[in-house]
Amino acid sequence: LSELATVIVRINGKEVRVPRGTTVAAAVFAAGETCRTSVSNHPRAPLCGMGICFECRMIVAGRTHTRTCQILCEPDMEISTDFER
Ligand code: FES
């Protein structure tokens, strides 16, 4: 894909290039990461992909987002999966 068709985000500090229009949750999943760790220390991942389950909550640009499956990646976006650790 050309640079115009992609954006670079940072997931836990690592640069990842994704197609423009990719959701934050999809970018994290494609990068092989899980969204967060539960209070019982289990990895959690997107479940519904349509904003209902809140399993995809993460920290995006320094703010907690409960439905990252509904947020599109933007250039230089900082994404952290360190939500409940
Ligand atoms: S995956 Fe269910 S709310 Fe995002």
Side-chain angles (χ1 to χ4, degrees):
L1 294 173
S2 74
E3 286 189 25
L4 290 175
T6 62
V7 294
I8 295 175
V9 296
R10 276 186 294 285
I11 300 172
N12 297 329
K14 179 179 145 194
E15 284 193 355
V16 177
R17 183 182 296 272
V18 296
R20 204 169 280 278
T22 300
T23 66
V24 170
V28 169
F29 188 72
E33 300 279 344
T34 55
C35 292
R36 60 187 181 89
T37 302
S38 72
V39 291
S40 56
N41 209 31
H42 292 93
R44 306 300 296 183
L47 182 63
C48 71
M50 56 186 188
I52 295 173
C53 72
F54 292 26
E55 288 291 347
C56 60
R57 55 191 182 265
M58 288 182 262
I59 300 169
V60 180
R63 292 183 47 218
T64 298
H65 285 275
T66 54
R67 292 180 284 185
T68 61
C69 63
Q70 303 299 299
I71 301 171
L72 297 182
C73 290
E74 295 177 10
D76 301 320
M77 188 177 253
E78 295 276 353
I79 302 164
S80 172
T81 64
D82 192 18
F83 188 81
E84 288 178 340
R85 290 182 204 157

